[in-house]
Amino acid sequence: MIRTASSAAAAVKTLALSAAFGALALASAVSAQAADGVKIGILNDQSGVYADYGGKWSVEAARMAIEDFGGSVLGQKVELMSADHQNKPDIGSNIARQWYDVDNVDMITELTTSSVALAVHELSKTKKKIDIVVGAATSRLTGDACQPYGFHWAFDTRALAVGTGGALTRAGGDSWFFLTADYAFGYQLEDDTSKLVKQEGGKVLGAVKHPLNNTDFSSFLLQAQASQAKVVGLANAGLDTTNSVKQAAEFGLMAGGQKLAGLLMTLAEVHGLGLKSSSGLVLTEGFYWDLDDRSREFSDRFFKRTQRMPNMIQAGTYSAVLSYLKAVKAADSKDPDKVAAKLKELPVDDAFGRNGKVLANGRMIHDMYLFEVKKPEESKKPWDYYKLLSTIPGDKAFFTAAESGCPATK
């Protein structure tokens, strides 16, 4: 085939046009990506058993973090989305998939309910997207279920077990019976606490499983009462804990000499119960509004917006969102690999976490606090509910990366 000068010129012109159109398409794609901004999703229970535990209050805490950061990062607006997963893993996974595939959400956080968190955690691994779990407890998230883009922030079942389980056993509560929520979180909390009880020389006399969002605990409490265990451990949360405590009082468990341990109990549940019903309970949290000036300043601002003080889930969500935005800025990119590396590199020092650090398995290490709920006459002002019994250093409260069972750290 003989190519003429005119045909060669036409070919060059066609190539130039193709290159121009290619460059224009690339520029449009980049522009569209920039227009998408940085998207963060709060996925949690907003209408069920954990609605006060996290719920819309966590959404407000995330909004505060975005505002405190300045509302944008890398020249892009930060957009906040939220949805109610109804404590169902299939619903949670479907929402997360829609957010990742269609809405271009960059990070999902809060993720109350361990079964939902584990499902979204696995999806995030597949999609190579960042998730930062705050409201779910299972230590498996940074243990055997760990993954490169997954993080766990405010607390976990191991830290709760070390705090409440270890302290009560050492104080003489050396026999235990568990009321356990019948799903992943309850199993792990019972298992982690049982191990700590036995390590401290105590024994577990039995356990009973109850459905999530249960209302009648009478048969379960009768079994706990019959066990004559010194401590009845509530391996549940939210309204399940509130209902357990109320009905335990009606059955006279505490009056009969048994100690009730709220293994995952927060300020929200204590507020719902009132001091008359909850005084004397021992619990572990990673945050309290009246700890120091920084916690009070944040909590006062939160209160003005919500008319309530934050618990560790809401304060932890604030910290998770703020830390993510700091990591994006430090990485100078939304690229998940680069952001994940920065999350593990940057210290955590904010209203929630003091001198926090993120381990190789994604676990954020920070101090935890053992509290006792005050008697009504000891409370001097609204929301003055806790007496600090002890501070548990982060390296004592949480598994090390090597201890966690995370395959990536072996």
Side-chain angles (χ1 to χ4, degrees), residues 204-237:
V204 176
L205 302 183
V208 62
K209 306 288 192 293
H210 69 77
L212 179 66
N213 203 12
N214 193 51
T215 54
D216 183 4
F217 287 86
S218 55
S219 64
F220 310 121
L221 290 166
L222 285 171
Q223 292 179 62
Q225 203 167 32
S227 74
Q228 298 185 345
K230 293 180 182 177
V231 181
V232 177
L234 302 179
N236 52 23

PDB file of all heavy atoms in Angstrom, residues 204-237:
ATOM      1  N   VAL A 204     -16.240 -19.051  85.742  1.00  0.00           N
ATOM      2  CA  VAL A 204     -17.500 -18.753  85.078  1.00  0.00           C
ATOM      3  C   VAL A 204     -18.474 -19.894  85.366  1.00  0.00           C
ATOM      4  O   VAL A 204     -18.206 -21.044  85.030  1.00  0.00           O
ATOM      5  CB  VAL A 204     -17.298 -18.582  83.559  1.00  0.00           C
ATOM      6  CG1 VAL A 204     -18.635 -18.365  82.858  1.00  0.00           C
ATOM      7  CG2 VAL A 204     -16.357 -17.417  83.277  1.00  0.00           C
ATOM      8  N   LEU A 205     -19.590 -19.551  85.999  1.00  0.00           N
ATOM      9  CA  LEU A 205     -20.563 -20.574  86.420  1.00  0.00           C
ATOM     10  C   LEU A 205     -21.600 -20.878  85.351  1.00  0.00           C
ATOM     11  O   LEU A 205     -22.295 -21.893  85.435  1.00  0.00           O
ATOM     12  CB  LEU A 205     -21.268 -20.125  87.704  1.00  0.00           C
ATOM     13  CG  LEU A 205     -20.363 -19.826  88.907  1.00  0.00           C
ATOM     14  CD1 LEU A 205     -21.203 -19.464  90.122  1.00  0.00           C
ATOM     15  CD2 LEU A 205     -19.464 -21.020  89.211  1.00  0.00           C
ATOM     16  N   GLY A 206     -21.706 -20.009  84.352  1.00  0.00           N
ATOM     17  CA  GLY A 206     -22.678 -20.265  83.294  1.00  0.00           C
ATOM     18  C   GLY A 206     -22.974 -19.029  82.483  1.00  0.00           C
ATOM     19  O   GLY A 206     -22.467 -17.934  82.760  1.00  0.00           O
ATOM     20  N   ALA A 207     -23.818 -19.202  81.462  1.00  0.00           N
ATOM     21  CA  ALA A 207     -24.203 -18.091  80.590  1.00  0.00           C
ATOM     22  C   ALA A 207     -25.506 -18.443  79.905  1.00  0.00           C
ATOM     23  O   ALA A 207     -25.839 -19.621  79.735  1.00  0.00           O
ATOM     24  CB  ALA A 207     -23.121 -17.820  79.551  1.00  0.00           C
ATOM     25  N   VAL A 208     -26.234 -17.411  79.507  1.00  0.00           N
ATOM     26  CA  VAL A 208     -27.473 -17.610  78.757  1.00  0.00           C
ATOM     27  C   VAL A 208     -27.535 -16.561  77.649  1.00  0.00           C
ATOM     28  O   VAL A 208     -27.136 -15.416  77.841  1.00  0.00           O
ATOM     29  CB  VAL A 208     -28.704 -17.523  79.692  1.00  0.00           C
ATOM     30  CG1 VAL A 208     -28.825 -16.142  80.336  1.00  0.00           C
ATOM     31  CG2 VAL A 208     -29.981 -17.883  78.951  1.00  0.00           C
ATOM     32  N   LYS A 209     -27.983 -16.967  76.471  1.00  0.00           N
ATOM     33  CA  LYS A 209     -28.075 -16.072  75.318  1.00  0.00           C
ATOM     34  C   LYS A 209     -29.497 -15.510  75.216  1.00  0.00           C
ATOM     35  O   LYS A 209     -30.477 -16.210  75.422  1.00  0.00           O
ATOM     36  CB  LYS A 209     -27.748 -16.829  74.021  1.00  0.00           C
ATOM     37  CG  LYS A 209     -26.412 -17.566  74.026  1.00  0.00           C
ATOM     38  CD  LYS A 209     -25.251 -16.614  73.949  1.00  0.00           C
ATOM     39  CE  LYS A 209     -23.946 -17.327  73.672  1.00  0.00           C
ATOM     40  NZ  LYS A 209     -23.488 -18.207  74.771  1.00  0.00           N
ATOM     41  N   HIS A 210     -29.595 -14.214  74.874  1.00  0.00           N
ATOM     42  CA  HIS A 210     -30.909 -13.612  74.650  1.00  0.00           C
ATOM     43  C   HIS A 210     -30.937 -12.932  73.290  1.00  0.00           C
ATOM     44  O   HIS A 210     -29.900 -12.491  72.781  1.00  0.00           O
ATOM     45  CB  HIS A 210     -31.258 -12.612  75.761  1.00  0.00           C
ATOM     46  CG  HIS A 210     -30.426 -11.369  75.753  1.00  0.00           C
ATOM     47  ND1 HIS A 210     -30.620 -10.335  74.850  1.00  0.00           N
ATOM     48  CD2 HIS A 210     -29.384 -10.969  76.538  1.00  0.00           C
ATOM     49  CE1 HIS A 210     -29.748  -9.369  75.089  1.00  0.00           C
ATOM     50  NE2 HIS A 210     -28.982  -9.722  76.099  1.00  0.00           N
ATOM     51  N   PRO A 211     -32.124 -12.812  72.671  1.00  0.00           N
ATOM     52  CA  PRO A 211     -32.209 -12.181  71.347  1.00  0.00           C
ATOM     53  C   PRO A 211     -31.864 -10.694  71.416  1.00  0.00           C
ATOM     54  O   PRO A 211     -32.050 -10.045  72.446  1.00  0.00           O
ATOM     55  CB  PRO A 211     -33.685 -12.370  70.951  1.00  0.00           C
ATOM     56  CG  PRO A 211     -34.235 -13.385  71.886  1.00  0.00           C
ATOM     57  CD  PRO A 211     -33.431 -13.302  73.142  1.00  0.00           C
ATOM     58  N   LEU A 212     -31.397 -10.167  70.297  1.00  0.00           N
ATOM     59  CA  LEU A 212     -31.174  -8.729  70.188  1.00  0.00           C
ATOM     60  C   LEU A 212     -32.510  -8.013  70.274  1.00  0.00           C
ATOM     61  O   LEU A 212     -33.529  -8.497  69.783  1.00  0.00           O
ATOM     62  CB  LEU A 212     -30.496  -8.408  68.843  1.00  0.00           C
ATOM     63  CG  LEU A 212     -30.209  -6.930  68.547  1.00  0.00           C
ATOM     64  CD1 LEU A 212     -29.179  -6.373  69.510  1.00  0.00           C
ATOM     65  CD2 LEU A 212     -29.733  -6.765  67.105  1.00  0.00           C
ATOM     66  N   ASN A 213     -32.514  -6.839  70.930  1.00  0.00           N
ATOM     67  CA  ASN A 213     -33.718  -6.032  71.087  1.00  0.00           C
ATOM     68  C   ASN A 213     -34.786  -6.799  71.866  1.00  0.00           C
ATOM     69  O   ASN A 213     -35.960  -6.797  71.513  1.00  0.00           O
ATOM     70  CB  ASN A 213     -34.255  -5.572  69.730  1.00  0.00           C
ATOM     71  CG  ASN A 213     -35.119  -4.330  69.845  1.00  0.00           C
ATOM     72  OD1 ASN A 213     -35.158  -3.677  70.887  1.00  0.00           O
ATOM     73  ND2 ASN A 213     -35.829  -4.007  68.776  1.00  0.00           N
ATOM     74  N   ASN A 214     -34.349  -7.427  72.951  1.00  0.00           N
ATOM     75  CA  ASN A 214     -35.254  -8.202  73.793  1.00  0.00           C
ATOM     76  C   ASN A 214     -35.962  -7.275  74.791  1.00  0.00           C
ATOM     77  O   ASN A 214     -35.435  -6.234  75.168  1.00  0.00           O
ATOM     78  CB  ASN A 214     -34.443  -9.261  74.561  1.00  0.00           C
ATOM     79  CG  ASN A 214     -35.324 -10.292  75.208  1.00  0.00           C
ATOM     80  OD1 ASN A 214     -36.184 -10.872  74.557  1.00  0.00           O
ATOM     81  ND2 ASN A 214     -35.115 -10.535  76.484  1.00  0.00           N
ATOM     82  N   THR A 215     -37.164  -7.658  75.207  1.00  0.00           N
ATOM     83  CA  THR A 215     -37.894  -6.837  76.180  1.00  0.00           C
ATOM     84  C   THR A 215     -38.117  -7.553  77.510  1.00  0.00           C
ATOM     85  O   THR A 215     -38.180  -6.895  78.550  1.00  0.00           O
ATOM     86  CB  THR A 215     -39.263  -6.407  75.616  1.00  0.00           C
ATOM     87  OG1 THR A 215     -39.989  -7.577  75.199  1.00  0.00           O
ATOM     88  CG2 THR A 215     -39.083  -5.465  74.429  1.00  0.00           C
ATOM     89  N   ASP A 216     -38.212  -8.878  77.484  1.00  0.00           N
ATOM     90  CA  ASP A 216     -38.493  -9.631  78.708  1.00  0.00           C
ATOM     91  C   ASP A 216     -37.272 -10.466  79.088  1.00  0.00           C
ATOM     92  O   ASP A 216     -36.941 -11.446  78.422  1.00  0.00           O
ATOM     93  CB  ASP A 216     -39.704 -10.537  78.498  1.00  0.00           C
ATOM     94  CG  ASP A 216     -40.097 -11.288  79.768  1.00  0.00           C
ATOM     95  OD1 ASP A 216     -39.474 -11.051  80.832  1.00  0.00           O
ATOM     96  OD2 ASP A 216     -41.024 -12.115  79.695  1.00  0.00           O
ATOM     97  N   PHE A 217     -36.591 -10.065  80.169  1.00  0.00           N
ATOM     98  CA  PHE A 217     -35.387 -10.760  80.615  1.00  0.00           C
ATOM     99  C   PHE A 217     -35.645 -11.663  81.825  1.00  0.00           C
ATOM    100  O   PHE A 217     -34.701 -12.154  82.439  1.00  0.00           O
ATOM    101  CB  PHE A 217     -34.294  -9.734  80.970  1.00  0.00           C
ATOM    102  CG  PHE A 217     -33.679  -9.082  79.767  1.00  0.00           C
ATOM    103  CD1 PHE A 217     -34.256  -7.960  79.198  1.00  0.00           C
ATOM    104  CD2 PHE A 217     -32.528  -9.600  79.190  1.00  0.00           C
ATOM    105  CE1 PHE A 217     -33.699  -7.350  78.088  1.00  0.00           C
ATOM    106  CE2 PHE A 217     -31.960  -9.005  78.071  1.00  0.00           C
ATOM    107  CZ  PHE A 217     -32.548  -7.878  77.516  1.00  0.00           C
ATOM    108  N   SER A 218     -36.908 -11.899  82.170  1.00  0.00           N
ATOM    109  CA  SER A 218     -37.227 -12.593  83.418  1.00  0.00           C
ATOM    110  C   SER A 218     -36.607 -13.987  83.497  1.00  0.00           C
ATOM    111  O   SER A 218     -35.982 -14.340  84.510  1.00  0.00           O
ATOM    112  CB  SER A 218     -38.743 -12.671  83.610  1.00  0.00           C
ATOM    113  OG  SER A 218     -39.369 -13.273  82.491  1.00  0.00           O
ATOM    114  N   SER A 219     -36.761 -14.784  82.450  1.00  0.00           N
ATOM    115  CA  SER A 219     -36.234 -16.159  82.513  1.00  0.00           C
ATOM    116  C   SER A 219     -34.706 -16.164  82.585  1.00  0.00           C
ATOM    117  O   SER A 219     -34.108 -17.001  83.280  1.00  0.00           O
ATOM    118  CB  SER A 219     -36.704 -16.965  81.301  1.00  0.00           C
ATOM    119  OG  SER A 219     -36.191 -16.429  80.100  1.00  0.00           O
ATOM    120  N   PHE A 220     -34.069 -15.221  81.889  1.00  0.00           N
ATOM    121  CA  PHE A 220     -32.608 -15.142  81.895  1.00  0.00           C
ATOM    122  C   PHE A 220     -32.095 -14.699  83.269  1.00  0.00           C
ATOM    123  O   PHE A 220     -31.109 -15.235  83.791  1.00  0.00           O
ATOM    124  CB  PHE A 220     -32.132 -14.175  80.810  1.00  0.00           C
ATOM    125  CG  PHE A 220     -32.732 -14.426  79.456  1.00  0.00           C
ATOM    126  CD1 PHE A 220     -33.468 -13.449  78.807  1.00  0.00           C
ATOM    127  CD2 PHE A 220     -32.575 -15.655  78.830  1.00  0.00           C
ATOM    128  CE1 PHE A 220     -34.027 -13.678  77.572  1.00  0.00           C
ATOM    129  CE2 PHE A 220     -33.131 -15.902  77.586  1.00  0.00           C
ATOM    130  CZ  PHE A 220     -33.865 -14.911  76.951  1.00  0.00           C
ATOM    131  N   LEU A 221     -32.782 -13.730  83.863  1.00  0.00           N
ATOM    132  CA  LEU A 221     -32.372 -13.230  85.174  1.00  0.00           C
ATOM    133  C   LEU A 221     -32.592 -14.264  86.274  1.00  0.00           C
ATOM    134  O   LEU A 221     -31.810 -14.344  87.224  1.00  0.00           O
ATOM    135  CB  LEU A 221     -33.121 -11.937  85.494  1.00  0.00           C
ATOM    136  CG  LEU A 221     -32.707 -10.726  84.648  1.00  0.00           C
ATOM    137  CD1 LEU A 221     -33.711  -9.600  84.791  1.00  0.00           C
ATOM    138  CD2 LEU A 221     -31.308 -10.248  85.026  1.00  0.00           C
ATOM    139  N   LEU A 222     -33.628 -15.059  86.139  1.00  0.00           N
ATOM    140  CA  LEU A 222     -33.859 -16.128  87.116  1.00  0.00           C
ATOM    141  C   LEU A 222     -32.729 -17.150  87.085  1.00  0.00           C
ATOM    142  O   LEU A 222     -32.299 -17.655  88.126  1.00  0.00           O
ATOM    143  CB  LEU A 222     -35.205 -16.812  86.849  1.00  0.00           C
ATOM    144  CG  LEU A 222     -36.449 -16.015  87.274  1.00  0.00           C
ATOM    145  CD1 LEU A 222     -37.711 -16.693  86.751  1.00  0.00           C
ATOM    146  CD2 LEU A 222     -36.500 -15.881  88.792  1.00  0.00           C
ATOM    147  N   GLN A 223     -32.219 -17.436  85.870  1.00  0.00           N
ATOM    148  CA  GLN A 223     -31.081 -18.354  85.764  1.00  0.00           C
ATOM    149  C   GLN A 223     -29.827 -17.745  86.392  1.00  0.00           C
ATOM    150  O   GLN A 223     -29.060 -18.433  87.070  1.00  0.00           O
ATOM    151  CB  GLN A 223     -30.822 -18.692  84.297  1.00  0.00           C
ATOM    152  CG  GLN A 223     -31.913 -19.535  83.653  1.00  0.00           C
ATOM    153  CD  GLN A 223     -31.619 -19.831  82.193  1.00  0.00           C
ATOM    154  OE1 GLN A 223     -30.619 -20.482  81.873  1.00  0.00           O
ATOM    155  NE2 GLN A 223     -32.480 -19.363  81.306  1.00  0.00           N
ATOM    156  N   ALA A 224     -29.628 -16.452  86.165  1.00  0.00           N
ATOM    157  CA  ALA A 224     -28.477 -15.771  86.765  1.00  0.00           C
ATOM    158  C   ALA A 224     -28.585 -15.773  88.277  1.00  0.00           C
ATOM    159  O   ALA A 224     -27.596 -15.999  88.988  1.00  0.00           O
ATOM    160  CB  ALA A 224     -28.405 -14.330  86.239  1.00  0.00           C
ATOM    161  N   GLN A 225     -29.787 -15.541  88.789  1.00  0.00           N
ATOM    162  CA  GLN A 225     -30.012 -15.521  90.230  1.00  0.00           C
ATOM    163  C   GLN A 225     -29.763 -16.898  90.834  1.00  0.00           C
ATOM    164  O   GLN A 225     -29.110 -17.034  91.875  1.00  0.00           O
ATOM    165  CB  GLN A 225     -31.449 -15.071  90.504  1.00  0.00           C
ATOM    166  CG  GLN A 225     -31.693 -14.478  91.862  1.00  0.00           C
ATOM    167  CD  GLN A 225     -33.050 -13.791  91.913  1.00  0.00           C
ATOM    168  OE1 GLN A 225     -34.008 -14.197  91.262  1.00  0.00           O
ATOM    169  NE2 GLN A 225     -33.143 -12.706  92.687  1.00  0.00           N
ATOM    170  N   ALA A 226     -30.236 -17.928  90.144  1.00  0.00           N
ATOM    171  CA  ALA A 226     -30.081 -19.298  90.641  1.00  0.00           C
ATOM    172  C   ALA A 226     -28.627 -19.754  90.630  1.00  0.00           C
ATOM    173  O   ALA A 226     -28.239 -20.628  91.412  1.00  0.00           O
ATOM    174  CB  ALA A 226     -30.930 -20.244  89.798  1.00  0.00           C
ATOM    175  N   SER A 227     -27.799 -19.158  89.765  1.00  0.00           N
ATOM    176  CA  SER A 227     -26.393 -19.556  89.690  1.00  0.00           C
ATOM    177  C   SER A 227     -25.620 -19.169  90.942  1.00  0.00           C
ATOM    178  O   SER A 227     -24.575 -19.744  91.237  1.00  0.00           O
ATOM    179  CB  SER A 227     -25.728 -18.892  88.476  1.00  0.00           C
ATOM    180  OG  SER A 227     -25.490 -17.507  88.715  1.00  0.00           O
ATOM    181  N   GLN A 228     -26.134 -18.155  91.676  1.00  0.00           N
ATOM    182  CA  GLN A 228     -25.474 -17.603  92.861  1.00  0.00           C
ATOM    183  C   GLN A 228     -24.085 -17.045  92.557  1.00  0.00           C
ATOM    184  O   GLN A 228     -23.234 -16.929  93.443  1.00  0.00           O
ATOM    185  CB  GLN A 228     -25.393 -18.653  93.983  1.00  0.00           C
ATOM    186  CG  GLN A 228     -26.760 -19.124  94.468  1.00  0.00           C
ATOM    187  CD  GLN A 228     -26.689 -20.073  95.650  1.00  0.00           C
ATOM    188  OE1 GLN A 228     -25.631 -20.624  95.971  1.00  0.00           O
ATOM    189  NE2 GLN A 228     -27.813 -20.271  96.306  1.00  0.00           N
ATOM    190  N   ALA A 229     -23.862 -16.677  91.298  1.00  0.00           N
ATOM    191  CA  ALA A 229     -22.600 -16.033  90.934  1.00  0.00           C
ATOM    192  C   ALA A 229     -22.513 -14.673  91.616  1.00  0.00           C
ATOM    193  O   ALA A 229     -23.515 -13.976  91.779  1.00  0.00           O
ATOM    194  CB  ALA A 229     -22.527 -15.864  89.420  1.00  0.00           C
ATOM    195  N   LYS A 230     -21.321 -14.292  91.999  1.00  0.00           N
ATOM    196  CA  LYS A 230     -21.143 -12.996  92.648  1.00  0.00           C
ATOM    197  C   LYS A 230     -21.357 -11.835  91.676  1.00  0.00           C
ATOM    198  O   LYS A 230     -21.810 -10.754  92.074  1.00  0.00           O
ATOM    199  CB  LYS A 230     -19.736 -12.901  93.256  1.00  0.00           C
ATOM    200  CG  LYS A 230     -19.506 -13.853  94.428  1.00  0.00           C
ATOM    201  CD  LYS A 230     -18.092 -13.702  94.972  1.00  0.00           C
ATOM    202  CE  LYS A 230     -17.824 -14.672  96.119  1.00  0.00           C
ATOM    203  NZ  LYS A 230     -16.421 -14.575  96.609  1.00  0.00           N
ATOM    204  N   VAL A 231     -21.027 -12.077  90.405  1.00  0.00           N
ATOM    205  CA  VAL A 231     -21.169 -11.030  89.382  1.00  0.00           C
ATOM    206  C   VAL A 231     -22.011 -11.553  88.229  1.00  0.00           C
ATOM    207  O   VAL A 231     -21.760 -12.644  87.715  1.00  0.00           O
ATOM    208  CB  VAL A 231     -19.797 -10.570  88.842  1.00  0.00           C
ATOM    209  CG1 VAL A 231     -19.980  -9.458  87.804  1.00  0.00           C
ATOM    210  CG2 VAL A 231     -18.894 -10.095  89.970  1.00  0.00           C
ATOM    211  N   VAL A 232     -22.995 -10.767  87.840  1.00  0.00           N
ATOM    212  CA  VAL A 232     -23.777 -11.064  86.637  1.00  0.00           C
ATOM    213  C   VAL A 232     -23.301 -10.088  85.562  1.00  0.00           C
ATOM    214  O   VAL A 232     -23.505  -8.880  85.670  1.00  0.00           O
ATOM    215  CB  VAL A 232     -25.284 -10.907  86.879  1.00  0.00           C
ATOM    216  CG1 VAL A 232     -26.057 -11.145  85.584  1.00  0.00           C
ATOM    217  CG2 VAL A 232     -25.748 -11.877  87.963  1.00  0.00           C
ATOM    218  N   GLY A 233     -22.617 -10.615  84.561  1.00  0.00           N
ATOM    219  CA  GLY A 233     -22.048  -9.792  83.497  1.00  0.00           C
ATOM    220  C   GLY A 233     -23.034  -9.612  82.359  1.00  0.00           C
ATOM    221  O   GLY A 233     -23.515 -10.598  81.792  1.00  0.00           O
ATOM    222  N   LEU A 234     -23.336  -8.367  82.021  1.00  0.00           N
ATOM    223  CA  LEU A 234     -24.265  -8.063  80.931  1.00  0.00           C
ATOM    224  C   LEU A 234     -23.460  -7.875  79.650  1.00  0.00           C
ATOM    225  O   LEU A 234     -22.907  -6.803  79.399  1.00  0.00           O
ATOM    226  CB  LEU A 234     -25.064  -6.798  81.257  1.00  0.00           C
ATOM    227  CG  LEU A 234     -25.879  -6.845  82.556  1.00  0.00           C
ATOM    228  CD1 LEU A 234     -26.595  -5.519  82.778  1.00  0.00           C
ATOM    229  CD2 LEU A 234     -26.872  -8.004  82.551  1.00  0.00           C
ATOM    230  N   ALA A 235     -23.375  -8.925  78.858  1.00  0.00           N
ATOM    231  CA  ALA A 235     -22.653  -8.876  77.585  1.00  0.00           C
ATOM    232  C   ALA A 235     -23.629  -8.451  76.487  1.00  0.00           C
ATOM    233  O   ALA A 235     -23.879  -9.167  75.514  1.00  0.00           O
ATOM    234  CB  ALA A 235     -22.015 -10.221  77.272  1.00  0.00           C
ATOM    235  N   ASN A 236     -24.205  -7.270  76.686  1.00  0.00           N
ATOM    236  CA  ASN A 236     -25.146  -6.696  75.723  1.00  0.00           C
ATOM    237  C   ASN A 236     -24.939  -5.186  75.715  1.00  0.00           C
ATOM    238  O   ASN A 236     -23.994  -4.691  76.333  1.00  0.00           O
ATOM    239  CB  ASN A 236     -26.595  -7.095  76.051  1.00  0.00           C
ATOM    240  CG  ASN A 236     -26.980  -6.808  77.500  1.00  0.00           C
ATOM    241  OD1 ASN A 236     -26.383  -5.967  78.172  1.00  0.00           O
ATOM    242  ND2 ASN A 236     -27.988  -7.514  77.990  1.00  0.00           N
ATOM    243  N   ALA A 237     -25.818  -4.452  75.058  1.00  0.00           N
ATOM    244  CA  ALA A 237     -25.622  -2.996  74.959  1.00  0.00           C
ATOM    245  C   ALA A 237     -26.945  -2.320  74.653  1.00  0.00           C
ATOM    246  O   ALA A 237     -27.955  -2.966  74.374  1.00  0.00           O
ATOM    247  CB  ALA A 237     -24.587  -2.674  73.881  1.00  0.00           C
TER     248      ALA A 237
END
